[in-house]
Amino acid sequence: AKNAKEYFLKFTLDKKLVNSNAKDEIADIANIIPNAQIYCMPVGESRNSLQRNDKDVFKFCLKYGYTYSDRLHIRVFDTTLGV
């Protein structure tokens, strides 16, 4: 972060992690790297697995002021390789 013009942090979370200690872990890292934009993305390698986590991660972002980052390629192409 000291040598970069721009930087951000992105965390991939699932429902279980959001409902446990993710907020504290992200805060600890953010304190080391101040002023970083924080993105959170739901875990998911298929549409079904993505849907199991997306709402909880979205609510987590709203609650703590983080930016939600979706996995559009999975929503559109599901498990197709090479996309």
Side-chain angles (χ1 to χ4, degrees):
K2 290 180 183 179
N3 298 315
K5 290 181 183 180
E6 296 180 26
Y7 59 92
F8 63 91
L9 302 173
K10 182 163 59 170
F11 299 90
T12 305
L13 307 170
D14 63 13
K15 180 188 285 192
K16 183 179 176 182
L17 191 55
V18 163
N19 292 318
S20 65
N21 62 344
K23 198 260 186 228
D24 295 332
E25 289 185 29
I26 291 172
D28 289 345
I29 295 168
N31 286 333
I32 297 168
I33 306 172
N35 303 316
Q37 179 71 32
I38 296 175
Y39 293 85
C40 297
M41 177 173 38
V43 169
E45 66 282 344
S46 69
R47 286 181 192 137
N48 287 336
S49 61
L50 188 60
Q51 287 177 329
R52 285 193 295 270
N53 297 300
D54 59 0
K55 288 182 181 73
D56 289 286
V57 174
F58 187 81
K59 290 175 187 176
F60 177 82
C61 289
L62 287 175
K63 183 174 182 178
Y64 296 110
Y66 301 138
T67 302
Y68 179 83
S69 178
D70 203 14
R71 302 176 77 106
L72 184 59
H73 62 291
I74 293 174
R75 292 194 190 278
V76 173
F77 298 104
D78 200 18
T79 59
T80 303
L81 297 176
V83 181

